[in-house]
Coordinates of all heavy atoms in Angstrom, one line a residue:
M5 N -4.1 -57.0 -35.3 CA -3.5 -57.8 -34.3 C -4.2 -59.2 -34.2 O -5.0 -59.5 -35.1 CB -3.5 -57.1 -32.9 CG -2.8 -55.8 -33.0 SD -1.0 -55.9 -33.5 CE -0.3 -56.2 -31.9
L6 N -4.1 -59.9 -33.2 CA -4.6 -61.3 -33.1 C -6.1 -61.4 -33.3 O -6.5 -62.5 -33.8 CB -4.3 -61.8 -31.6 CG -2.9 -61.9 -31.3 CD1 -2.7 -62.1 -29.8 CD2 -2.2 -63.0 -32.0
T8 N -10.0 -61.1 -34.8 CA -10.7 -61.1 -36.1 C -11.4 -59.8 -36.3 O -12.2 -59.4 -35.4 CB -11.7 -62.3 -36.2 OG1 -10.9 -63.5 -36.0 CG2 -12.3 -62.3 -37.6
P9 N -11.2 -59.1 -37.4 CA -11.9 -57.8 -37.6 C -13.4 -58.0 -37.9 O -13.8 -59.1 -38.3 CB -11.2 -57.3 -38.9 CG -9.9 -58.1 -39.1 CD -10.2 -59.4 -38.4
I16 N -14.3 -51.5 -41.5 CA -13.7 -52.6 -40.8 C -13.3 -52.0 -39.4 O -12.6 -51.0 -39.3 CB -12.4 -53.1 -41.5 CG1 -12.8 -53.7 -42.9 CG2 -11.7 -54.1 -40.7 CD1 -11.6 -54.0 -43.8
D28 N -4.2 -50.5 -30.8 CA -5.3 -49.5 -30.9 C -6.5 -50.1 -31.5 O -6.5 -51.1 -32.3 CB -4.9 -48.3 -31.7 CG -3.7 -47.5 -31.2 OD1 -3.4 -47.6 -30.0 OD2 -3.1 -46.8 -31.9
D33 N -11.8 -47.8 -43.8 CA -12.7 -47.9 -44.9 C -12.4 -49.1 -45.7 O -11.2 -49.3 -46.2 CB -12.5 -46.6 -45.8 CG -13.5 -46.6 -46.9 OD1 -13.3 -47.3 -47.9 OD2 -14.5 -45.8 -46.8
F46 N -6.6 -50.5 -25.5 CA -7.3 -51.8 -25.6 C -6.4 -53.0 -25.2 O -6.6 -54.1 -25.6 CB -7.9 -52.0 -26.9 CG -9.2 -51.3 -27.0 CD1 -9.3 -49.9 -27.3 CD2 -10.4 -52.0 -26.8 CE1 -10.5 -49.3 -27.4 CE2 -11.6 -51.3 -26.9 CZ -11.6 -50.0 -27.2
M71 N -19.6 -50.2 -27.9 CA -19.3 -49.0 -28.8 C -20.3 -48.9 -29.9 O -20.8 -49.9 -30.3 CB -17.9 -49.1 -29.4 CG -16.8 -49.2 -28.3 SD -15.3 -49.9 -29.0 CE -15.7 -51.6 -29.1
P75 N -18.1 -44.7 -38.2 CA -16.9 -44.5 -39.0 C -16.2 -43.1 -38.9 O -15.1 -42.9 -39.3 CB -17.3 -44.7 -40.4 CG -18.8 -44.4 -40.4 CD -19.3 -44.8 -39.0
P94 N -16.2 -63.8 -27.2 CA -17.6 -63.8 -26.7 C -18.5 -64.3 -27.8 O -18.2 -64.2 -29.0 CB -17.9 -62.4 -26.3 CG -17.0 -61.6 -27.1 CD -15.7 -62.4 -27.3
Y102 N -22.3 -64.4 -24.1 CA -21.7 -65.5 -23.4 C -20.2 -65.2 -23.3 O -19.5 -65.0 -24.4 CB -21.9 -66.9 -24.1 CG -23.4 -67.2 -24.1 CD1 -24.2 -66.7 -25.2 CD2 -24.0 -67.9 -23.1 CE1 -25.6 -66.9 -25.2 CE2 -25.4 -68.2 -23.2 CZ -26.1 -67.7 -24.2 OH -27.5 -67.9 -24.2
M110 N -20.0 -67.6 -18.4 CA -21.1 -66.7 -17.9 C -22.0 -66.4 -19.1 O -21.6 -66.3 -20.2 CB -20.6 -65.4 -17.4 CG -19.8 -65.6 -16.1 SD -18.9 -64.0 -15.8 CE -17.4 -64.3 -16.7
V112 N -24.8 -63.5 -19.8 CA -25.2 -62.2 -19.2 C -26.2 -61.6 -20.2 O -26.0 -61.4 -21.4 CB -24.0 -61.2 -19.1 CG1 -24.5 -59.8 -18.6 CG2 -22.9 -61.8 -18.2
R116 N -32.1 -54.3 -23.3 CA -32.7 -54.1 -24.7 C -33.0 -52.6 -24.9 O -33.3 -51.9 -24.1 CB -33.9 -54.9 -24.9 CG -33.5 -56.4 -24.7 CD -34.7 -57.3 -25.1 NE -34.4 -58.6 -24.7 CZ -34.0 -59.5 -25.6 NH1 -33.8 -59.2 -26.8 NH2 -33.7 -60.8 -25.2

Side-chain angles (χ1 to χ4, degrees):
M5 302 302 274
L6 299 167
T8 302
I16 298 168
D28 294 342
D33 182 286
F46 279 81
M71 300 160 285
Y102 299 88
M110 295 167 271
V112 180
R116 298 186 191 261

